[in-house]
Structure formats: structure tokens, C-alpha cells
Amino acid sequence: AIERRMAGISRDALPQDIRFVCTLPVEPPEAVKDIWISDEGIGDRLGDQLNWPLLETLSSTIIICDPHDEANTEDSAQLAQWLSTDQVAPPVLLLPIRSPGSRPVATAKLLELCKGAFDDIVLGEPCGYALALALHALVVRAESKSDKWGDELHDRLTASEDLQSLKDQVEGTMWNYLPQRLMLALPPIDYGLGDLRAKEFAGYAVREQLPFGVDELMYQLRPPAGVPVAIGGEMVKVVPKSSLARSVDALRRMHRAWQLAQALSARWAHPNIARSFQIYHAPTCLYIRMELAGTESLFHRLQHRGVASLSAEHRRSLVAQLASVVDHLHRGPGICHRSIKP
């Protein structure tokens, strides 16, 4: 069948820089022996012949398939899928050696393969120079599609790079320029600070995550060797920048919150308010180093003890401590918490 399809074709009549790939047990026609790759089944030998230096130079790879042979059809599909995973692979065309004709199973299988594996297919049963013209047309169409996809990809990459550049400029304005312009108490970004992935920042080792915190993450800290640590230990509050609105108001609220934390750690300190020691500015988040406020929430403490509620004496003690803090905030620095929960 393949001899009949290619009868009378000379090598010069075919498109330039193509390869025929055949997994059928047939001899290649004399005119195309130098551009014919043959192997029964998809093995290492075929992969060796279709190496990437060769694929880079080709305009198309033409896989020869017998739609009446289900095993060969499957092999052809696998080969096309393998080629499509290579970034330098050229368009893959399908050349059936005979038409599926009136066989619905073969026709359906061929259509299914063409949807996912092949870039185009030689329709009908053109022979001789009619086949050469059909291949020329498909190669030109495939190259046109490839150029179009390349242009679309380039446009998308350019748009993506422009968007990322714009985001970087917004981030730079938000976190570098505005704090200085507004004279906010926020340190400049420290790109060598470290991060949670490395379990370390500013020389402090980040340890277990603590089971409290809403919009932020809380971790225990171990200080560097030789650095004194607060009695009871230290923790860090990690505030992702992504959780903050990108606005001047958000920066001012952050500045105000840090001013209040500093006031409540010095002049207006209270034994039931965790002191804040220092704020650190990383590229993606803010770290606030604080006095350790315990290692479990009230819920976790009850859960670990296997009880549903505290005794009346414990409840009175907690309410008294909370009332003492609220009274201190109102009468001392004049702060309204606005988020006290039962």
C-alpha cells in the first residue's frame, strides 16, 4: 500500500526537512529511504533516531499508520504523544496508508487520535504527486499554526512580564517609598532576613507553630547563641503582606498598630499583655518578635485536659484578668480594643 501511495514521487517533490516515521513491518520506498525512520514498536532504537538535534532541524514529522491495524494505531498515537512532550519537536502529521473506509471503529479511532495527538492528517488516499502536494499543504498549514501559536505565546509572556513589572512597581511604592514619605515606623525591606521555609530569620530559629492567631501565624522562637531571651520565652507573629490591602490607609493602620504595641510594651505595659520587642520587614511578610503568650489557646487547653469547661474559680480568674486589661487600656493609654471575643 505504501509503495502505491508513493509511486512516482521523487525526493525533490516532497517538502524540505521532513521525516517519515513508520512502525509497520514495511520496506521504505527507494525515493524516501534517506528520510525514512523505521521501527516495529516504540523502542529505544526509534527514540535514538528521533533525537532532539534532529527534531530541531525538521519542519514536520510524518507518522505512517494503518487505521485497520488497532495495535499499530495505538503505537502511532503513543509515538505522537511522545513527540509532543518534546519542546523542540516539529508538527506531527498523520499519513494513513489506507483509508478507514466504511469501518466505523477504525474511523472513530482515527478521529480520536487526531484530536489529541496529531497536528493534521492526510485525508483520502492521494497517490504520487497528489500526495506530495497534500503533504506540502499540510506542512505549510502546520508551520502557519506553529507561528501563530508562537506569536500568541510571545504576546502572553510579554503581557505577563509587563503585569509582573507593574506589580513589582506597586509593591516597591507600597513598601519602600510610602513608609519613608509618610514617615512611618516601618523598617526598609531586608532581602537577607530569612524566611519560614528556612525556619530562620534574623538569626532566630523558628520552632513550633502556636495554635492561635487569625490573620497571622504565630511561632515559638529560639534566639541566637549569646542573645538574652525574655523570661518565659519569645514568639513571632508573621503577617503576610498579601493579607493587607494595598493602600495608604492599610499602611497607616499597620503603623498605628505597631505604635500601640510599642506603647503597651514600655510606658503602658501590663502583666497580661504580651510585650512586642521588634518588627522586621521581609519581602513577603512582616515579623513581629514578641513575648511568649503561652503555648496553647483556651480551647486547646480544655481539649487536652479532656474537660468541657473550666471550674467557676478559673472562669472568675480569667474574667478578672481580662477586665483588668480592658480597664488598663481604657484608663491608661486610652485604647479601645474593638475585637474582644468570648
Side-chain angles (χ1 to χ4, degrees), residues 22-84:
C22 182
T23 58
L24 291 167
V26 297
E27 288 295 322
E30 190 64 32
V32 295
K33 274 189 174 182
D34 61 326
I35 55 172
W36 185 279
I37 297 175
S38 180
D39 193 9
E40 296 181 39
I42 303 174
D44 293 337
R45 191 162 69 88
L46 185 58
D48 291 341
Q49 294 177 81
L50 283 173
N51 51 60
W52 71 264
L54 172 63
L55 292 174
E56 273 192 317
T57 66
L58 299 182
S59 61
S60 285
T61 303
I62 302 168
I63 296 179
I64 297 172
C65 166
D66 183 358
H68 292 253
D69 185 334
E70 187 171 343
N72 177 247
T73 304
E74 292 286 353
D75 282 350
S76 300
Q78 290 179 36
L79 176 58
Q81 291 288 356
W82 174 75
L83 285 170
S84 67

Side-chain angles (χ1 to χ4, degrees), residues 194-201 204-206:
D195 55 34
L196 292 180
R197 289 176 298 179
K199 295 294 184 180
E200 184 271 341
F201 82 96
Y204 286 82
V206 179

Side-chain angles (χ1 to χ4, degrees), residues 223-256:
V227 175
V229 63
I231 298 174
E234 294 184 7
M235 65 182 184
V236 62
K237 176 191 290 188
V238 184
V239 183
K241 291 182 181 178
S242 58
S243 68
L244 303 174
R246 280 156 176 75
S247 67
V248 173
D249 287 341
L251 275 177
R252 282 178 170 155
R253 286 195 297 271
M254 187 68 204
H255 168 68
R256 178 63 176 160

Side-chain angles (χ1 to χ4, degrees), residues 151-225:
D151 291 341
E152 289 182 0
L153 179 60
H154 178 268
D155 291 343
R156 291 187 181 185
L157 288 174
T158 300
S160 176
E161 290 171 356
D162 291 344
L163 179 60
Q164 187 59 49
S165 176
L166 181 60
K167 286 182 178 179
D168 291 342
Q169 291 176 36
V170 171
E171 289 290 316
T173 302
M174 174 81 177
W175 297 106
N176 286 325
Y177 171 73
L178 285 179
Q180 298 179 29
R181 183 69 177 84
L182 300 174
M183 293 184 291
L184 304 181
L186 188 66
I189 297 176
D190 184 349
Y191 290 94
L193 188 63
D195 55 34
L196 292 180
R197 289 176 298 179
K199 295 294 184 180
E200 184 271 341
F201 82 96
Y204 286 82
V206 179
R207 301 175 66 189
E208 298 82 8
Q209 183 175 351
L210 300 170
F212 41 82
V214 181
D215 295 326
E216 62 277 329
L217 300 174
M218 313 291 289
Y219 295 89
Q220 280 189 265
L221 284 181
R222 185 176 67 241

Side-chain angles (χ1 to χ4, degrees), residues 91-93 114 118-121 137-153:
V92 182
L93 310 179
C114 291
F118 296 93
D119 295 288
D120 221 326
I121 181 174
L138 293 186
V139 168
V140 169
R141 186 160 64 183
E143 289 177 341
S144 177
K145 285 182 183 178
S146 181
D147 291 341
K148 181 181 178 181
W149 292 336
D151 291 341
E152 289 182 0
L153 179 60

